C-alpha cells in the first residue's frame, strides 16, 4: 500500500499484526480495518490488555509455565498432587492438558525438543531443572507427554537416561485410536500400536 | 481453560484476540502464546502501535476514508485529479484500488450497500454527502466501484437516480475475465458479459 494513502500509525499496526501467527499480510489489513472500525469497543481494550500482559507476564522459575506470578498458579496450588510431574514440550501442550482437565498434577515445560539439526541440544531445553526437581525428592512419577514425533521420542529417551538412576517411575502417553476417530483414516503405525495395546472389553 | 491455570491478564488477552477477524478461540490462544514468548519484540510494540492508532485514527469528513488526519491524505493530495471520484463500499475496497495503483482520483466511501433486509437504507450510507460533493461542483465523473452483487448493483442504481440530474458522468467497472483467470472456471454471467464487451485485438 502506498505510504500516501494511510497514516503511518495504521501502517505500523498492519505490519505488526502481520507477524501474529494465524494472520498474514492480507488478513492483517482486514484485522486492522476491523479494529479501527471498532476503535473503542475492541482496539482500545486490546491495546490495554496487551500492555498489561506485557507488564505482568512471567516465566515460572520452577516449571517454565507462563503466568502473571512466579511460582505460577499451578506450582502454587496445594490441592494438586506434587508427586506427579507431566513433562511437556511447550506451554501450549500444558494449556491443552489443563483444558482437558485430564490431570491434577504438576508440569514441567521443556521449551522444545532435542533437534541437533536446528542446533537444539539438552542445554537449550529445561532438562537440567527437571533432573534437579527429581533429585530434590518428592516426585514419584514423571509422565513424559511429548509429541509422538521422532524428535519427541528422542527427547523422551534422553530424559529417561538422565533420571533412570534416580528411582523415579517414568511413563509415557498411550498410543491408540483417537476418541471419535475412524479406523479407515488412521495411519498404519497408530493402528498397529492400538492393536498391540488392546484392552479387555 | 480453567481460570486457575493462567493469570487473568493472559485470559483477557486471549478473549479479546479471539474477536479479531481471522482469529478464532483456538488460534487466539496460539497467537497469545506467541506474543507472550516474543514479549519485547512483538507484544510490547504491538500494544504501543494499537494505543497510537487508537489515539490517532480519524474518519475523513469529506470521503469517509480512515486516516490519521482529516481531511485524509488522499483528499489533501493536490496532485490527484479531483474531478474524478471513485465510489466504493468500504475502506478495504479503497485500499485495494490504491494498492493496485489503478487510479489517481479521489474516493467516496459509502460505508456499505443498500440492504433493506438488514435495515440499511440510504440514510445509513454516505450517499447524501456524495450528492453534496457533486452539487458543490468540480466533479466531472463518478466511477461507481461497488461489488458486483445484487445489493451493490441496487446501490449503484440508487446513486445514479440521485445524481442523474446534476450533469455528472456516471460510469461503472467493466465485467470480464479476471487477468490470469481460466475460462473453464468462470461462471456463465461473467463469460456472457466478457463476450458482450469484447474488444478489438
Amino acid at each position: 500500500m502506498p505510504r500516501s494513502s494511510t497514516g503511518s500509525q495504521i501502517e505500523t499496526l498492519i505490519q505488526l499484526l502481520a507477524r501474529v501467527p494465524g494472520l498474514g499480510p492480507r488478513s492483517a489489513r482486514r484485522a486492522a480495518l476491523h479494529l479501527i472500525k471498532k476503535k473503542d469497543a475492541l482496539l482500545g481494550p486490546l491495546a490495554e490488555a496487551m500492555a498489561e500482559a506485557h507488564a505482568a507476564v512471567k516465566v515460572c522459575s520452577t516449571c517454565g509455565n507462563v503466568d502473571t506470578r512466579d511460582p505460577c498458579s499451578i506450582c502454587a496450588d496445594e490441592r494438586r498432587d506434587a508427586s506427579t510431574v507431566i513433562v511437556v514440550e511447550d506451554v501450549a501442550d500444558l494449556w491443552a492438558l489443563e483444558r482437558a482437565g485430564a490431570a491434577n498434577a504438576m508440569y514441567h515445560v521443556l521449551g522444545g525438543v532435542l533437534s541437533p539439526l536446528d542446533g537444539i541440544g539438552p542445554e537449550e531445553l529445561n532438562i537440567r531443572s527437571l533432573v534437579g526437581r527429581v533429585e530434590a525428592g518428592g516426585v514419584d512419577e514423571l509422565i513424559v507427554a511429548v509429541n509422538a514425533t521422532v524428535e519427541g521420542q528422542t527427547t523422551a529417551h534422553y530424559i529417561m537416561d538422565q533420571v533412570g538412576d534416580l528411582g523415579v517411575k517414568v511413563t509415557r502417553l498411550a498410543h491408540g485410536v483417537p476418541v471419535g476417530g475412524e479406523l479407515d483414516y488412521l495411519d498404519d503405525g497408530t493402528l498397529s500400536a492400538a492393536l498391540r495395546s488392546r484392552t479387555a472389553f
Side-chain angles (χ1 to χ4, degrees), chain A:
Chain A
M1 182 163 18
R3 183 59 169 273
S4 66
S5 68
T6 47
S8 60
Q9 287 93 336
I10 302 178
E11 196 57 36
T12 309
L13 178 62
I14 294 173
Q15 276 167 14
L16 286 169
L17 278 175
R19 289 168 52 196
V20 173
L23 297 177
R26 222 187 163 85
S27 43
R29 271 198 304 271
R30 204 160 57 92
L33 199 54
H34 183 84
L35 288 171
I36 288 169
K37 283 181 187 167
K38 309 227 165 189
K39 209 160 97 82
D40 293 322
L42 189 52
L43 181 56
L46 191 53
E48 210 173 298
M50 285 188 171
E52 281 178 13
H54 181 255
V57 163
K58 295 175 185 66
V59 174
C60 175
S61 53
T62 306
C63 74
N65 186 17
V66 292
D67 202 343
T68 49
R69 45 191 285 194
D70 178 20
C72 72
S73 345
I74 293 179
C75 288
D77 185 352
E78 295 185 349
R79 288 161 305 174
R80 283 176 185 259
D81 171 15
S83 69
T84 306
V85 174
I86 305 179
V87 181
V88 291
E89 289 180 24
D90 197 275
V91 177
D93 301 330
L94 186 161
W95 287 4
L97 286 162
E98 281 295 294
R99 272 201 307 283
N104 190 36
M106 296 297 179
Y107 291 91
H108 195 87
V109 180
L110 294 175
V113 279
L114 293 175
S115 176
L117 286 179
D118 302 319
I120 299 179
E123 293 306 310
E124 274 70 48
L125 305 179
N126 300 326
I127 292 182
R128 191 185 293 226
S129 58
L130 176 63
V131 176
R133 279 177 85 175
V134 174
E135 282 173 343
V139 178
D140 297 331
E141 180 176 359
L142 280 190
I143 305 177
V144 182
V146 293
N147 291 335
T149 56
V150 174
E151 288 88 356
Q153 297 311 307
T154 310
T155 311
H157 280 110
Y158 182 83
I159 291 172
M160 185 69 213
D161 278 352
Q162 297 294 306
V163 299
D165 301 333
L166 301 175
V168 69
K169 185 174 153 197
V170 182
T171 56
R172 60 176 181 174
L173 296 183
H175 286 304
V177 183
V179 175
E182 298 184 32
L183 296 194
D184 200 15
Y185 292 96
L186 277 177
D187 62 292
D188 299 348
T190 304
L191 271 182
S192 307
L195 202 59
R196 271 198 309 277
S197 310
R198 64 192 177 278
T199 53
F201 199 56

